[in-house]
Amino acid sequence: MHLLRTSVRGFSSLEAHLADYIAEQMSIQTGRRPAASESRSWERSLPALRADLVSAGLDDVEMLIEYQLPLTSKRADVVLAGVHPKTGQPSYVVVELKQWSAAERFEDSDTLVTVEQYGHRAVTHPALQVADYCEYLSSFTVMLAEQSHSLAGVAYLHNATDQGVADLRRRATTKQSALFTGQDRGAFVEYLRSLLAPGESGAEAADRLLRSRISPSKQLLAAAADEVQRREQFVLLDEQRDAFEHVMHAVNRARRSNTKTAVVVSGGPGSGKSVIALSLMGELSRQGRAVMHATGSKSFTQTLRKVAGKRAPAVAKLFTYFNSFMTAEPNDLDCLILDEAHRIRETSVNRYTRKELRNSGRPQIHELLSAARVPVFLLDEHQVVRPGEMGTVEDIEAHAAALGIRVEHINLNDQFRCGGSEAYVDWVQRLLGLKPGGPIPWRGDDGFEVSVVDTPEELEHFLTARSEDGYSARMAAGYCWPWSDPRSDGSLVPDVQIEGWARPWNLRGERSVGGAPPAALWASDPAGFGQVGCVYTAQGFEYDHAGVIIGPDFVWRDGRWLTMREVNRDPDFRNRTKVSEADFDRLVRNVYKVLLTRGMQSVSIYSTDAQTREFLRGLVC
């Protein structure tokens, strides 16, 4: 998907109103207006690129402007489509445009640079940025995966002189990470001619790219073993790459100068937090650094242990829990990666804690901050779904300040789950009252499908069809039904009962029973299909198609949501002493936010309440 497609020749007729036209398309496609910096880039950078293409005689090359990378909301500035002058085959050039006049390396980093216009904030080297785009496109676009030689990448700093960015040239150039300045304009023109043939139309090449089948990204947990043990399996984009490089730089700095830094990476569902975590695990492990991964989720940790330790069981020991660091020596680790950090609890003490440790009174955040020179917190503040969870940016910054620890915060703004649909994530947050503005109609998005069904049978039929087509699909529900142990013969009790339809919850234990996987593997094991999951087994995971049952604890009445405590069966929510009415309301909304944002390609929604179904159907036409 792109915001504008035009030939170089046709660009001139659009130039006078270019920014307004692209802004209008952005509003239609994404529901947001561009930032001032984006509009300036369209007004200044695109004409500069077009002038160089004309100088190269490439009037018939196609320009795909603001080209959306598959299954994300991230966009490449321009993808040029044409014919290769030597092979006669389709040829593509990804162009990252920068208005920078000067930039230099951040400290001694080869991957981070500082830019005067950004107030010397460190960002990813532009050549590395465009190389990431190329690799990502090759991984997700079937046509390019089969013809990766046809793709090149270039960062064009059209306002810069060679001297102004001399520091950036220390990085070696590859076919997918070329870099040119405005002073290099002649060389840039020759570079374009070497990849795109003058006089040849790029329309067919552009059509082939846009029609290419998109293969979904490698599932996070299926690739974890290779990620940790052998080589990179994921491509990090922009803010993801920034976060990764910030952590790597902090680890190197900590060892060099005996300093300590806490890094907080916040972002919504699917923004890439776990991809960053596993990329860091892989790279730091390869460098021989002392690194561990911890979560507050048994399901997530057990699944990571299973897949990451598939060929080397010892690797599973790198994956543990937040409450494992009560007695850890300070700074024993170079880096501690704390995934799903919104699940940090007030204290690590539980019924299994040794007596001599129970009265320490030490907050869990302090234990985690102490354990490594660089603790890394990856979190989504809207996924706090249990009483006593306190992992917010504010909490972490306050505790770090009390301990005299420097904090760096990176906010991930782009969506990689839900098909990269910013519009859908925004729709969910407004629907649930987690973002101001109130519910709005679902206007549709090419990257994501939303539907409302009238019966649980219809919901199950939808998911079964997707599963039979080879996609991953799961059904999850609010915790509004009893949860029985398996029968003595190993069969599961169909506790989730709705008007004659009945299915069992997923298993609660750590053993497989009657062909059903243990709780920790419900979301990732194909045998999990057919059981209804809950927020505790769905959180942290993704599947292609999500089915969500909104239970009677969350209903729409008289223009607002009501949370019905008396029908909720979650033991953690029923204690009125520990969980106030306001907390219960907030937690239930967060639960349904988690369930509604697990799907990569679609979500189908069913509410047990007729009025709520009518309301939802009015929003989703």
Side-chain angles (χ1 to χ4, degrees):
M1 203 160 59
H2 51 278
L3 297 186
L4 173 62
R5 174 180 173 176
T6 178
S7 67
V8 173
R9 190 186 312 278
F11 185 95
S12 59
S13 64
L14 300 168
E15 195 166 345
H17 305 288
L18 183 67
D20 290 339
Y21 178 82
I22 300 176
E24 181 183 11
Q25 292 303 305
M26 175 177 282
S27 179
I28 292 170
Q29 292 188 27
T30 71
R32 74 174 181 90
R33 301 293 297 177
S37 58
E38 290 177 298
S39 295
R40 283 196 301 272
S41 176
W42 298 331
E43 291 172 346
R44 300 172 186 176
S45 296
L46 289 173
L49 173 62
R50 184 256 180 187
D52 291 336
L53 288 164
V54 170
S55 295
L58 301 174
D59 301 75
D60 298 309
V61 162
E62 292 283 300
M63 303 173 69
L64 301 177
I65 297 170
E66 293 291 331
Y67 179 86
Q68 184 172 352
L69 305 186
L71 299 178
T72 85
S73 61
K74 179 54 60 181
R75 297 177 185 273
D77 287 339
V78 183
V79 176
L80 302 174
V83 177
H84 197 281
K86 292 183 179 179
T87 68
Q89 296 298 311
S91 183
Y92 306 94
V93 183
V94 181
V95 185
E96 178 62 23
L97 297 166
K98 300 294 187 188
Q99 297 184 69
W100 306 348
S101 56
E104 59 185 13
R105 290 200 307 168
F106 175 61
E107 297 181 357
D108 57 352
S109 174
D110 289 327
T111 56
L112 291 171
V113 301
T114 57
V115 186
E116 185 176 349
Q117 287 99 311
Y118 294 174
H120 296 286
R121 176 170 62 89
V123 297
T124 300
H125 192 298
L128 177 58
Q129 181 183 2
V130 76
D132 287 342
Y133 288 175
C134 290
E135 186 178 348
Y136 191 89
L137 278 169
S138 295
S139 297
F140 288 83
T141 309
V142 172
M143 189 202 79
L144 293 176
E146 295 169 351
Q147 303 174 28
S148 58
H149 59 277
S150 66
L151 184 64
V154 58
Y156 187 31
L157 284 61
H158 56 90
N159 286 339
T161 63
D162 290 350
Q163 183 176 353
V165 295
D167 223 14
L168 275 58
R169 294 191 180 277
R170 294 172 181 260
R171 184 176 181 82
T173 296
T174 67
K175 182 180 179 181
Q176 297 187 342
S177 66
L179 186 148
F180 294 92
T181 68
Q183 189 176 345
D184 289 335
R185 187 165 178 259
F188 180 53
V189 166
E190 290 305 313
Y191 167 83
L192 294 172
R193 284 181 180 149
S194 73
L195 296 167
L196 301 163
E200 296 284 351
S201 171
E204 183 180 347
D207 288 343
R208 290 184 62 180
L209 176 63
L210 296 174
R211 288 198 305 261
S212 177
R213 184 168 62 87
I214 301 302
S215 178
S217 64
K218 304 176 184 75
Q219 293 295 311
L220 174 64
L221 300 173
D226 281 342
E227 181 62 31
V228 174
Q229 296 174 50
R230 295 198 299 185
R231 60 185 177 84
E232 292 290 340
Q233 290 291 303
F234 297 97
V235 182
L236 300 171
L237 300 176
D238 293 1
E239 290 85 0
Q240 293 177 335
R241 172 64 74 170
D242 292 347
F244 174 88
E245 296 297 349
H246 268 283
V247 173
M248 295 301 300
H249 188 77
V251 171
N252 291 330
R253 181 175 57 208
R255 173 168 288 192
R256 216 173 39 237
S257 56
N258 196 31
T259 57
K260 187 176 175 82
T261 305
V263 180
V264 179
V265 181
S266 62
S271 53
K273 299 183 294 296
S274 293
V275 172
I276 295 167
L278 290 177
S279 295
L280 288 168
M281 285 291 292
E283 183 59 30
L284 290 168
S285 296
R286 283 191 289 273
Q287 291 188 10
R289 301 299 178 90
V291 58
M292 291 190 71
H293 181 286
T295 81
S297 164
K298 178 176 285 189
S299 295
F300 200 34
T301 297
Q302 290 291 337
T303 302
L304 286 170
R305 285 177 172 176
K306 180 175 183 288
V307 296
K310 186 174 182 179
R311 289 184 295 271
V315 172
K317 296 177 182 177
L318 295 174
F319 296 87
T320 187
Y321 300 100
F322 293 156
N323 62 2
S324 301
F325 299 92
M326 294 180 71
T327 60
E329 287 294 320
N331 300 326
D332 248 6
L333 299 174
D334 290 312
C335 185
L336 175 58
I337 299 165
L338 303 157
D339 209 346
E340 301 275 298
H342 42 264
R343 304 196 68 172
I344 290 173
R345 301 187 73 81
E346 295 174 3
T347 174
S348 296
V349 172
N350 58 37
R351 58 178 173 160
Y352 302 110
T353 303
R354 298 200 312 266
K355 184 177 180 180
E356 63 270 23
L357 296 175
R358 288 182 183 173
N359 297 322
S360 68
R362 195 180 185 201
Q364 190 172 80
I365 291 181
H366 281 206
E367 296 165 3
L368 301 175
L369 286 165
S370 171
R373 292 184 182 277
V374 182
V376 181
F377 299 84
L378 301 114
L379 60 92
D380 175 0
E381 295 179 295
H382 286 312
Q383 287 198 47
V384 174
V385 297
R386 267 185 167 165
E389 293 178 345
M390 56 176 299
T392 67
V393 176
E394 184 180 2
D395 288 331
I396 294 165
E397 289 181 338
H399 284 279
L403 297 173
I405 299 171
R406 169 183 176 179
V407 176
E408 294 178 357
H409 179 203
I410 296 98
N411 187 19
L412 304 172
N413 297 315
D414 299 302
Q415 301 302 327
F416 284 73
R417 189 175 281 132
C418 307
S421 175
E422 290 179 285
Y424 175 66
V425 174
D426 179 73
W427 182 80
V428 168
Q429 290 179 333
R430 291 186 61 169
L431 172 70
L432 301 178
L434 298 173
K435 186 175 182 178
I440 55 175
W442 171 246
R443 299 299 187 190
D445 188 315
D446 291 342
F448 197 75
E449 178 185 352
V450 181
S451 61
V452 176
V453 297
D454 291 322
T455 66
E457 288 89 350
E458 187 180 349
L459 181 67
E460 187 171 42
H461 177 75
F462 172 85
L463 296 173
T464 299
R466 300 305 183 273
S467 181
E468 289 175 350
D469 287 340
Y471 295 96
S472 59
R474 291 294 184 276
M475 184 188 309
Y479 198 163
C480 299
W481 292 268
W483 201 320
S484 304
D485 292 328
R487 300 185 181 102
S488 57
D489 63 359
S491 61
L492 305 184
V493 179
D495 285 315
V496 183
Q497 300 188 21
I498 306 170
E499 298 179 356
W501 178 89
R503 291 293 180 270
W505 289 109
N506 61 254
L507 289 174
R508 285 188 290 189
E510 298 181 19
R511 296 176 56 195
S512 177
V513 177
L521 303 181
W522 169 81
S524 57
D525 190 318
F529 188 84
Q531 304 122 44
V532 179
C534 74
V535 68
Y536 304 126
T537 44
Q539 190 173 32
F541 296 92
E542 61 187 31
Y543 19 89
D544 295 318
H545 300 280
V548 179
I549 297 175
I550 298 177
D553 61 344
F554 197 56
V555 298
W556 184 262
R557 293 289 186 274
D558 300 322
R560 65 191 183 98
W561 288 107
L562 298 179
T563 48
M564 315 298 287
R565 193 166 195 158
E566 62 275 12
V567 295
N568 187 282
R569 296 297 189 103
D570 191 328
D572 286 338
F573 288 6
R574 296 175 71 85
N575 188 325
R576 294 178 182 270
T577 302
K578 293 183 177 180
V579 182
S580 68
E581 292 300 323
D583 285 341
F584 175 77
D585 181 88
R586 174 178 60 86
L587 291 169
V588 167
R589 292 171 192 261
N590 283 351
V591 163
Y592 285 113
K593 192 254 188 177
V594 170
L595 298 183
L596 287 165
T597 53
R598 298 303 93 193
M600 284 282 288
Q601 298 183 30
S602 79
V603 65
S604 189
I605 308 168
Y606 169 75
S607 171
T608 60
D609 178 72
Q611 290 187 46
T612 305
R613 282 200 305 276
E614 183 180 357
F615 163 67
L616 291 171
R617 189 168 289 285
L619 295 178
V620 182
C621 300

